[in-house]
């Protein structure tokens, strides 16, 4: 019996691919959902080819349906990837990891000892901490850039080994000019990795803009229910895929079959969840921008947002993460107005304490709306305002979300 997942032909909308990809082969009386195969080893003798299963840390059929579906999504909707419009691009391959951080660690392993890594000054914090450790232990030079400043990114590529892009960034929601920075990296012979966690493959497909590797914290929107931790890398480069897979095998950061099954189940509703979350986020951002208790809102949907035009050009929607700074209390000083100081922190924390529906929690991309003050983490970049709240908009009724947020801001 074939264990290869079945994915329909090219040309389907991503909203269809999330439902149809990675199903079992269509046999009479066969399963419509993949099973949860539980094996640490497989029957094997003699010399094993790369396509054969032998030991479950190296390759595991529990991963294949999800990997196939994610490859189809990031590769442009085609079974096993392929360029949009049927171009000559190689098929995309997805490699599942035990967490987004395991995927980041594998991506950073592409930088040689003594090499140079270009990275956004605002990006996922644990990734930044890992970059600093690698820098100290392996003599890697770190060049931080404002990822929205294309000239600065291009200048930093000189002699670099790897460019890490986040867009929109966590938590400042800066938007990179993906075609420009990824094209420049390619021209300079610098490999690029785009963390596509915030946008999802429904919001943007970085491989089509020239990225070598796309990275996901599957924990967030792809799985979507705040019940698993997983990560993934996607690439069209077969040699790179082999290197990244070998990293996974040797470092052992592999996904469990149950978690993988949950992630695929979550992926089935990604299009619906993300459509609702994005629409609600745009509506909440619009209302927050007019709220008397709000000092600043960041969301690329807002016409005045620095990332608005770019996001409109390269994204499908604007994502469902919002940055908000509450207005300081009357009589507050200049520091509070700038978002720093104990009074500004207290004001932002009071909003987190006052919500009743929004969950006070870290993480994002689940069906439940969540918020947190990002600088409560000591590792968050110090250029992020101390009173910045990051809101992850879920799929609840937007009026209920608004009523709770409005009351918390006025409390
Ligand atoms: C959460 C997150 C990660 C890390 O993923 P884990 O699954 O938590 O290991 C990486 N990048 C971004 C943008 C994230 O939000």
């Amino acid at each position: 019996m074939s264990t290869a997942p079945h994915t329909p032909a090219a040309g389907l909308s991503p909203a269809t691919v999330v439902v149809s990809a990675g199903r079992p082969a269509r046999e009479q009386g066969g399963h419509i959902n993949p099973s949860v195969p539980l094996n640490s080893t497989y029957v094997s003798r003699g010399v094993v080819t790369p396509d054969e299963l032998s030991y479950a840390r190296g390759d595991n059929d529990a991963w294949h349906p999800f990997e196939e579906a994610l490859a189809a999504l990031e590769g442009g909707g085609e079974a096993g990837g392929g360029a949009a419009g049927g171009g000559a691009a190689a098929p995309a391959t997805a490699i599942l990891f035990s967490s987004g951080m395991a995927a980041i660690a594998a991506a950073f392993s592409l930088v040689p000892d003594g090499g140079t890594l270009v990275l956004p000054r605002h990006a996922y914090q644990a990734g930044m901490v890992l970059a600093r450790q690698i820098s100290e232990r392996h003599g890697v030079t770190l060049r931080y850039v404002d990822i929205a400043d294309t000239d600065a990114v291009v200048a930093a590529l000189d002699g670099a080994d790897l460019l890490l892009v986040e867009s929109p960034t966590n938590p400042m929601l800066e938007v990179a000019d993906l075609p420009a920075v990824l094209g420049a990296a390619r021209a300079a012979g610098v490999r690029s990795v785009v963390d596509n966690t915030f946008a999802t493959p429904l919001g943007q497909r970085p491989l089509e803009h020239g990225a070598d590797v796309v990275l996901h914290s599957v924990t967030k929107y792809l799985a979507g229910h705040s019940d698993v931790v997983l990560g993934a890398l996607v690439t069209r480069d077969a040699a790179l895929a082999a290197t990244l897979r070998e990293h996974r095998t040797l470092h052992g950061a592999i996904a469990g079959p149950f978690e993988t099954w949950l992630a695929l189940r979550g992926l089935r509703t990604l299009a619906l969840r993300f459509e609702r979350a994005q629409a609600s986020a745009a509506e909440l951002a619009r209302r927050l921008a007019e709220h008397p208790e709000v000092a600043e809102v960041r969301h690329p949907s807002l016409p005045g947002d620095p990332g608005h035009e770019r996001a409109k050009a390269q994204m499908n929607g604007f994502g469902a993460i919002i940055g908000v700074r509450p207005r300081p209390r009357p009589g507050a000083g200049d520091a509070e107005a700038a978002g720093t100081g104990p009074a500004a922190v207290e004001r932002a924390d009071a909003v987190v304490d006052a919500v009743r529906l929004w969950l006070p929690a870290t993480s994002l991309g689940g069906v439940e709306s969540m918020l947190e003050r990002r600088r409560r983490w000591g590792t968050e970049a110090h250029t992020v305002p101390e009173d910045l709240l990051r809101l992850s908009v879920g799929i609840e009724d937007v009026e209920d979300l608004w009523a709770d947020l409005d009351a918390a801001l006025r409390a």
Side-chain angles (χ1 to χ4, degrees):
M1 197 194 97
S2 163
T3 57
H6 171 88
T7 293
L12 298 172
S13 153
T16 303
V17 174
V18 294
V19 177
S20 60
R23 300 270 181 192
R26 300 183 168 201
E27 293 160 350
Q28 187 75 358
H31 297 169
I32 67 161
N33 290 310
S35 307
V36 185
L38 297 171
N39 302 282
S40 63
T41 190
Y42 303 86
V43 177
S44 78
R45 46 178 85 80
V47 177
V48 175
T49 70
D51 293 341
E52 288 174 344
L53 294 168
S54 55
Y55 186 63
R57 174 161 42 72
D59 194 10
N60 191 323
D61 52 340
W63 306 331
H64 295 173
F66 185 87
E67 289 181 333
E68 170 104 4
L70 183 57
L73 286 169
E74 287 291 0
E78 200 166 315
T93 303
I95 306 160
L96 190 61
F97 286 84
S98 56
S99 66
M101 275 308 296
I104 290 177
F108 283 175
S109 77
L110 298 173
V111 183
D113 286 10
T116 297
L117 170 61
V118 180
L119 67 180
R121 66 186 171 135
H122 298 137
Y124 181 68
Q125 268 322 283
M128 299 298 101
V129 174
L130 179 62
R132 287 199 290 275
Q133 282 199 359
I134 290 172
S135 169
E136 284 161 21
R137 293 176 190 173
H138 300 274
V140 167
T141 301
L142 304 179
R143 289 186 192 152
Y144 294 98
V145 290
D146 172 356
I147 208 71
D149 182 344
T150 304
D151 291 343
V153 177
V154 172
L157 291 172
D158 185 37
D161 296 283
L162 188 73
L163 167 68
L164 174 70
V165 176
E166 257 187 45
S167 183
T169 61
N170 185 0
M172 295 295 277
L173 302 170
E174 294 128 332
V175 178
D177 184 337
L178 290 181
V181 299
L182 298 173
R186 193 150 282 230
V190 178
R191 277 196 178 126
S192 59
V193 177
V194 177
D195 187 329
N196 206 24
T197 300
F198 273 34
T200 85
L202 303 186
Q204 68 193 11
R205 290 203 292 267
L207 294 179
E208 290 175 6
H209 295 303
D212 291 308
V213 180
V214 170
L215 188 151
H216 280 285
S217 170
V218 174
T219 313
K220 314 292 170 51
Y221 291 103
L222 301 185
H225 294 73
S226 308
D227 51 9
V228 295
V229 174
L230 288 172
L233 297 175
V234 190
T235 180
R236 293 189 198 282
D237 181 327
L240 208 46
T243 302
L244 296 167
R245 244 202 216 104
E246 183 186 43
H247 187 279
R248 177 179 68 182
T249 301
L250 297 181
H251 291 253
I254 60 161
F258 290 118
E259 287 75 10
T260 306
W261 192 92
L262 278 173
L264 184 65
R265 178 173 167 133
L267 188 74
R268 297 302 185 208
T269 54
L270 174 64
L272 280 174
R273 287 186 283 108
F274 201 55
E275 187 183 312
R276 163 68 80 97
Q278 289 201 115
S280 295
E283 178 60 21
L284 294 173
R286 192 183 65 74
R287 294 187 193 185
L288 285 166
E290 292 167 2
H291 199 285
E293 292 296 333
V294 167
E296 189 185 354
V297 188
R298 292 294 299 264
H299 190 252
S301 69
L302 296 170
D305 191 90
H308 178 68
E309 291 302 326
R310 250 180 216 166
K312 215 164 71 175
Q314 71 192 21
M315 291 177 73
N316 176 21
F318 300 99
I321 307 295
I322 305 175
V324 185
R325 290 183 43 235
R327 187 174 293 287
R329 295 285 179 220
D334 292 346
E336 282 71 33
T340 61
V345 168
E346 197 184 307
R347 170 84 180 97
D349 283 342
V351 176
V352 175
D353 287 341
V355 290
R356 292 291 169 265
L357 174 59
W358 292 73
L359 270 165
T362 197
S363 197
L364 56 106
V367 291
E368 329 76 357
S369 296
M370 292 177 181
L371 84 173
E372 70 170 332
R373 187 175 66 81
R374 280 303 299 176
R375 284 286 301 278
R376 73 192 172 107
W377 303 106
T379 50
E380 185 58 273
H382 286 198
T383 40
V384 172
E386 281 184 287
D387 61 354
L388 181 86
L389 300 174
R390 186 185 70 190
L391 277 53
S392 170
V393 180
I395 65 168
E396 304 92 336
D397 186 280
V398 69
E399 297 302 336
D400 289 335
L401 291 175
W402 175 248
D404 191 42
L405 203 52
D406 176 50
L409 282 161
R410 291 176 196 276

